[in-house]
């Protein structure tokens, strides 16, 4: 199933307790929509539902409002789809919400018809609808600003970017060049055709540099007629849905401008050709999203496993790693067909004991679960071999669904390709209630004025047996982007093989993958059962290796000199507090000990994990102020190391009244520099 994420910022929501209940099936998305807490609830369990009850979920009221007003959800929300004959729902609620039956789908509601058509044919049409609805809302805001500013000043020269001369020269953007813009000056005198065209061009400006080939022009010839027909039907339904929208702004002038915004955008974008260009742009420019579910990290916490043992067991049963009597179980996520993005697994030949069996899975103890977790394949425990195909997805991703999808970023998606890139784009690791963030990181020295280039293809999947095979396969993978690469690496390799150009279509190289012997030994070393203490120790060692390598992959490590200057004070304060706690047999001693160990060993990931736990535990305890300082600094260092500068600075600001500023001066300067 899908992960629980905020519909607007794409951050994971619900926290570990709700996340586990949702994953194992104890609660549904509809339950969460009904459960919907307010914005003042505990951060770790705060969930805000769509105001119309359509099932969309958010991390905060701000995200709910932003998605409704700026991202177009006010145009695409179906409300709560219910059965009109359901006697359990009051007539008052039925009058407030949409209802769904065969007659409604067939005759009455174009928005429902559009969404059903998209689900039954190609869900990319839903992404197109999101894009157009967002453009409508942004266009509306621009037009609204024009009319608002005009009421505030009589000087046209002070109307912000909104009073161009009627003979202004415009770009020949193909979306607008043939659209006549109806005359609406009788309704709103300020909204001349010229001004409306200018504002819509401004809204579209971030997308004008994208490649926008027609969808069917980049597909096989036998699909052209089918794709054109699908776009024609889908665009017609969406246009009808936009014009049927009953959303009102409760102010006459705003409603008039809103209808003008819908009319202009629907007439321009809701056509077969426009749909084809938008989807073609998605196909050739979009960047994939894959972010680990925080539960993949939380599962290693023994306290969580003790508290939620029943839910975790059910999650493992659902994923097939614990089998009931007579049930079919998978031995590894990467050897099953659950994830099309994963390649052939290195675990195909795992011992069948990898999957746990039990007569009654409800009797599984915390230690039994620990043994099962020790048998899983976990990507990131070791640095991957170039020929290792399992660079995406593992058993944890199969149990706890990651955030998967595609995204159109206005900058990153415009970066050109090079087979020898000087930068990479990565998603910062997601914690609970952290918005999805894309990072662009340099991987080589970049000169002033040098173009930033990324690679559109995955080098791990390319045959490296020879230069010729390598370059042919690279070009083969780039065919769908509509160009043949002529970067420095390609030119140099062409010279090496003494043939130019190389025809990428003449050869289809077979790919064979194999893991080194050490990897095979590692993957099979966890199939045996251990006693309770050994199993937990092995699991924590695996987690430490996994988390450190995951952070190293992000290439965002804090400089050692910055880390040490603050860590020295934190370690000293921690040891001082430790002595006090040992004398008085204080609780939570282990939390502080683990934080100090993480600081002393330089394990900055564990600094964040244990430091965050300790910061929350010791906050407000005057007698253990040094313990609080130690944990707050450790957590801040850990967050800064991962690039989460907002979280890092918030922890230091929270402690600033009691924390000596000189102890964290270098760390503060570093955070402010990169924030």
């Amino acid at each position: 199933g899908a992960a629980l994420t905020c519909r607007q910022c794409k951050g994971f929501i619900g926290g570990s307790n709700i996340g586990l209940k949702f994953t194992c099936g104890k609660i549904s998305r509809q339950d969460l929509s009904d459960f919907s807490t307010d914005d003042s609830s505990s951060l770790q369990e705060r969930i805000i539902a769509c105001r119309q009850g359509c099932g969309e979920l958010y991390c905060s009221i701000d995200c709910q409002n932003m998605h409704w007003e700026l991202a177009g959800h006010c145009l695409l929300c179906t409300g709560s789809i219910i059965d009109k004959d359901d006697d359990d729902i009051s007539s008052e609620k039925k009058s407030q919400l949409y209802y769904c039956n065969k007659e409604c789908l067939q005759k009455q509601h174009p928005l429902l018809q559009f969404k059903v058509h998209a689900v039954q044919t190609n869900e990319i049409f839903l992404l197109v609808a999101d894009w157009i609805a967002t453009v409508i809302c942004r266009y509306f805001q621009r037009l609204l600003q024009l009319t608002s500013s005009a009421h505030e000043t009589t000087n046209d020269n002070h109307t912000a970017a909104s009073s161009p001369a009627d003979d202004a020269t415009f770009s020949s953007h193909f979306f607008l060049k043939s659209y006549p813009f109806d005359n609406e000056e009788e309704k709103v005198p300020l909204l001349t055709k010229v001004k409306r065209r200018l504002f819509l061009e401004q809204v579209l400006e971030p997308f004008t540099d994208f490649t926008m080939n027609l969808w069917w022009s980049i597909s096989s010839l036998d699909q052209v007629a089918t794709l054109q027909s699908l776009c024609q039907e889908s665009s017609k339904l969406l246009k009808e849905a936009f014009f049927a929208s009953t959303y009102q702004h409760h102010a006459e002038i705003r409603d008039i401008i809103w209808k003008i915004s819908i009319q202009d955008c629907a007439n321009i974008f809701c056509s077969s050709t426009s749909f084809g260009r938008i989807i073609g742009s998605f196909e050739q420019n979009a960047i994939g999203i894959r972010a680990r579910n925080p539960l993949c990290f939380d599962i290693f916490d023994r306290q969580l496993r003790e508290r939620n043992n029943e839910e975790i067991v059910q999650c493992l049963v659902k994923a097939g790693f614990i089998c009931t009597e007579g049930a079919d179980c998978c031995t590894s996520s990467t050897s099953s067909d659950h994830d099309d993005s994963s390649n052939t697994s290195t675990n195909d030949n795992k011992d069948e004991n990898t999957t746990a069996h039990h007569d009654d899975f409800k009797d599984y103890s915390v230690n039994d679960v620990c043994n099962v977790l020790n048998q899983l394949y976990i990507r990131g425990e070791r640095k991957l071999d170039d020929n290792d195909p399992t660079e995406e997805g593992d058993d944890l991703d199969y149990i706890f669904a990651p955030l998967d999808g595609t995204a159109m970023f206005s900058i990153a998606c415009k970066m050109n390709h090079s087979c020898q890139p000087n930068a990479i784009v990565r998603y910062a690791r997601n914690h609970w209630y952290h918005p999805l963030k894309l990072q662009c990181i340099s991987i080589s020295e970049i000169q002033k004025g040098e173009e930033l280039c990324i690679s559109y293809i995955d080098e791990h999947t390319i045959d490296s047996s020879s230069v010729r095979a390598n370059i042919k396969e690279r070009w083969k993978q780039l065919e769908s982007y509509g160009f043949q690469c002529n970067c420095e690496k390609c030119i140099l390799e062409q010279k090496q093989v003494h043939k130019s150009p190389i025809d990428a279509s003449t050869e289809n190289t077979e790919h064979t993958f194999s893991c080194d012997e050490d990897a095979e030994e590692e993957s099979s070393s966890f199939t045996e059962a251990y006693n309770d203490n050994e199993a937990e120790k092995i699991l924590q060692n695996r987690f430490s290796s996994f988390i450190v390598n995951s952070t190293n992959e992000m290439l965002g490590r804090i400089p050692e000199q910055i880390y040490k200057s603050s860590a020295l004070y934190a370690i000293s304060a921690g040891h001082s507090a430790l002595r006090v706690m040992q004398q008085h047999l204080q609780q939570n001693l282990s939390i502080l000990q683990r934080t100090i160990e993480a600081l002393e060993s330089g394990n900055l990931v564990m600094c964040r994990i244990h430091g965050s736990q300790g910061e929350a535990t010791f906050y407000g305890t005057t007698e253990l102020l040094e313990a609080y300082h130690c944990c707050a600094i450790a957590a801040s260092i850990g967050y800064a190391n991962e690039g989460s500068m907002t979280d890092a600075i918030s922890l230091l600001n929270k402690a600033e009244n009691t924390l000596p500023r000189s102890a964290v001066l270098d760390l503060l300067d570093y955070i402010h520099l990169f924030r």
Side-chain angles (χ1 to χ4, degrees):
L4 278 179
T5 57
C6 172
R7 183 64 173 83
Q8 174 62 25
C9 72
K10 305 301 183 289
F12 287 91
I13 58 176
S16 54
N17 292 330
I18 290 179
L20 285 169
K21 288 181 173 132
F22 176 77
T23 302
C24 75
K26 272 191 172 182
I27 54 177
S28 66
R29 183 173 287 271
Q30 186 58 51
D31 294 331
L32 292 171
S33 182
D34 296 338
F35 164 75
S36 181
T37 61
D38 60 39
D39 204 35
S40 62
S41 301
S42 166
L43 176 64
Q44 284 301 306
E45 292 194 350
R46 189 178 66 216
I47 294 177
I48 310 297
C50 168
R51 61 181 70 176
Q52 297 295 332
C54 71
E56 299 288 11
L57 302 174
Y58 305 93
C59 65
S60 64
I61 294 293
D62 288 341
C63 273
Q64 183 205 59
N65 290 336
M66 192 177 299
H67 191 231
W68 183 266
E69 296 171 5
L70 299 179
H73 190 53
C74 57
L75 287 164
L76 300 174
C77 178
T78 60
S80 181
I81 301 175
I82 61 176
D83 186 345
K84 70 174 184 178
D85 298 322
D86 191 340
D87 296 332
D88 294 333
I89 301 175
S90 67
S91 57
E92 182 181 356
K93 186 171 183 180
K94 286 180 184 177
S95 67
Q96 296 173 348
L97 305 174
Y98 291 120
Y99 59 84
C100 177
N101 59 23
K102 194 172 287 186
E103 182 184 3
C104 175
L105 287 176
Q106 291 176 350
K107 299 178 181 179
Q108 295 182 14
H109 207 301
L111 181 57
L112 282 176
Q113 291 183 59
F114 165 78
K115 292 198 172 187
V116 170
H117 176 267
V119 170
Q120 291 176 345
T121 57
N122 194 320
E123 292 189 2
I124 200 168
F125 292 127
L126 299 176
L127 191 58
V128 175
D130 281 342
W131 186 85
I132 297 175
T134 300
V135 170
I136 291 174
C137 288
R138 292 181 181 179
Y139 180 47
F140 168 71
Q141 293 295 329
R142 292 291 183 97
L143 296 183
L144 200 61
Q145 287 172 8
L146 169 61
T147 55
S148 299
S149 61
H151 288 300
E152 294 170 4
T153 178
T154 57
N155 187 349
D156 287 342
N157 293 327
H158 290 105
T159 305
S162 55
S163 297
D166 283 357
D167 60 352
T169 303
F170 302 106
S171 67
S172 57
H173 194 284
F174 51 73
F175 277 133
L176 306 182
K177 62 184 179 183
S178 61
Y179 180 63
F181 283 91
D182 296 337
N183 194 336
E184 301 287 353
E185 292 179 56
E186 292 184 3
K187 299 176 183 176
V188 186
L190 285 170
L191 299 185
T192 64
K193 296 188 211 179
V194 173
K195 289 176 181 176
R196 280 158 49 215
R197 180 178 179 122
L198 173 66
F199 278 113
L200 192 48
E201 284 200 339
Q202 290 175 349
V203 170
L204 293 176
E205 193 276 332
F207 306 101
T208 52
D209 293 333
F210 284 125
T211 301
M212 285 197 170
N213 295 313
L214 288 164
W215 187 19
W216 42 88
S217 72
I218 58 175
S219 303
S220 59
L221 291 176
D222 60 341
Q223 292 183 305
V224 172
T226 301
L227 298 182
Q228 288 177 329
S229 175
L230 288 175
C231 284
Q232 184 173 0
E233 178 66 18
S234 183
S235 60
K236 177 188 173 189
L237 290 171
L238 184 61
K239 188 174 184 177
E240 291 174 359
F242 284 151
F243 283 132
S245 172
T246 58
Y247 177 59
Q248 294 182 334
H249 292 269
H250 306 296
E252 184 178 2
I253 185 65
R254 292 173 70 95
D255 284 334
I256 292 172
I257 296 172
W258 177 244
K259 290 177 181 177
I260 292 173
S261 303
I262 293 176
Q263 174 185 293
D264 286 346
C265 292
N267 285 333
I268 292 171
F269 301 116
C270 292
S271 70
S272 175
T273 301
S274 293
F275 262 48
R277 292 202 180 278
I278 295 169
I279 296 174
S281 179
F282 290 162
E283 294 285 356
Q284 294 194 300
N285 295 287
I287 290 179
I289 297 175
R290 190 177 183 88
R292 268 201 191 270
N293 194 316
L295 286 171
C296 292
F297 302 91
D298 296 346
I299 195 69
F300 290 92
D301 182 353
R302 185 175 178 87
Q303 290 183 347
L304 175 77
R305 282 182 275 124
E306 290 174 346
R307 188 171 62 246
N308 299 93
N309 184 61
E310 182 182 344
E311 289 82 6
I312 293 172
V313 170
Q314 290 180 14
C315 289
L316 293 170
V317 169
K318 188 176 178 181
F321 293 101
I322 293 178
C323 294
T324 55
E325 194 74 28
D328 292 331
C329 295
C330 61
T331 57
S332 168
S333 71
T334 49
S335 62
S336 67
D337 59 359
H338 72 277
D339 184 358
D340 292 337
S341 66
S342 298
N343 295 306
T344 306
S345 171
T346 59
N347 295 339
D348 282 344
N349 297 321
K350 265 190 178 182
D351 190 287
E352 62 181 6
N353 289 333
T354 300
T355 304
H357 296 264
H358 203 277
D359 291 337
D360 185 353
F361 66 85
K362 292 181 180 179
D363 292 337
Y364 261 77
S365 68
V366 175
N367 294 322
D368 291 331
V369 169
C370 183
N371 271 311
V372 174
L373 295 177
N374 270 328
Q375 298 165 13
L376 301 181
Y377 165 71
I378 303 175
R379 178 181 179 264
E381 286 186 275
R382 55 187 170 80
K383 196 168 183 179
L384 291 178
D385 184 275
D386 286 341
N387 290 325
D388 192 335
T390 54
E391 42 98 38
E392 279 192 5
D394 60 12
D395 290 345
L396 289 177
D397 284 337
Y398 190 35
I399 300 167
F400 306 114
L403 173 62
D404 257 332
T406 57
M408 290 284 282
F409 293 96
S410 58
I411 296 177
C413 290
K414 292 180 184 176
M415 296 176 73
N416 283 326
H417 165 84
S418 171
C419 296
Q420 195 167 352
N422 55 14
I424 58 172
V425 287
R426 293 283 182 90
Y427 291 99
R429 181 188 153 194
N430 267 24
H431 308 291
W432 295 109
Y433 293 91
H434 284 215
L436 183 71
K437 294 180 182 178
L438 185 73
Q439 300 172 326
C440 181
I441 305 167
S442 64
I443 56 175
S444 64
E445 187 174 345
I446 299 173
Q447 303 300 322
K448 184 177 180 180
E450 181 181 351
E451 181 184 8
L452 294 179
C453 292
I454 59 175
S455 176
Y456 294 176
I457 57 180
D458 185 0
E459 294 287 343
H460 289 291
T461 66
I462 294 176
D463 184 1
S464 58
S465 60
S466 68
V467 173
R468 173 180 294 279
N470 192 289
I471 191 172
K472 281 187 177 181
E473 181 58 29
R474 294 205 307 270
W475 287 3
K476 186 76 173 175
Q477 291 195 21
L478 289 169
E479 281 181 352
S480 62
Y481 293 97
F483 68 90
Q484 180 172 292
C485 184
N486 286 308
C487 67
E488 291 183 9
K489 181 177 180 179
C490 286
I491 293 172
L492 178 63
E493 290 183 353
Q494 283 187 67
K495 293 178 180 178
Q496 289 178 4
V497 297
H498 303 294
K499 278 192 177 183
S500 178
I502 295 175
D503 185 0
S505 64
T506 60
E507 186 173 313
N508 183 17
T509 308
E510 285 290 326
H511 301 285
T512 55
F513 298 100
S514 60
C515 265
D516 54 88
E517 293 179 2
D518 291 339
E520 290 180 0
E521 290 177 5
E522 182 177 358
S523 67
S524 62
S525 62
F526 301 110
T527 61
E528 58 182 289
Y530 298 91
N531 64 46
D532 296 348
N533 291 334
E534 287 178 338
E536 189 64 39
K537 184 176 180 181
I538 289 170
L539 187 62
Q540 294 308 317
N541 287 338
R542 296 186 73 194
F543 176 54
S544 181
S545 175
F546 159 56
I547 201 77
V548 169
N549 285 330
S550 297
T551 301
N552 287 341
E553 285 183 0
M554 290 166 54
L555 304 178
R557 294 184 68 77
I558 190 171
E560 186 177 359
Q561 63 271 24
I562 302 294
Y563 153 69
K564 282 188 174 179
S565 62
S566 299
L568 287 174
Y569 171 81
I571 291 170
S572 175
H575 279 298
S576 177
L578 204 58
R579 288 191 290 271
V580 173
M581 294 174 71
Q582 287 171 337
Q583 290 174 1
H584 295 85
L585 297 176
Q586 291 272 6
Q587 293 182 340
N588 303 313
L589 193 67
S590 60
I591 297 175
L592 182 58
Q593 287 175 325
R594 288 196 295 267
T595 303
I596 295 172
E597 289 171 2
L599 285 165
E600 291 177 334
S601 65
N603 189 336
L604 305 192
V605 178
M606 302 310 286
C607 280
R608 180 193 59 76
I609 293 172
H610 298 314
S612 297
Q613 186 180 4
E615 190 272 342
T617 300
F618 298 121
Y619 177 68
T621 55
T622 308
E623 66 278 8
L624 295 175
L625 190 59
E626 288 183 309
Y628 170 66
H629 286 168
C630 172
C631 294
I633 293 173
S636 182
I637 289 172
Y639 279 121
N641 180 59
E642 295 179 358
S644 301
M645 301 304 177
T646 302
D647 298 296
I649 196 66
S650 65
L651 287 172
L652 295 180
N653 288 341
K654 186 177 173 182
E656 66 178 350
N657 291 332
T658 59
L659 185 66
R661 187 173 179 82
S662 58
V664 292
L665 193 57
D666 290 343
L667 181 59
L668 280 169
D669 290 342
Y670 174 80
I671 294 171
H672 283 299
L673 179 64
F674 291 99
R675 190 181 179 188

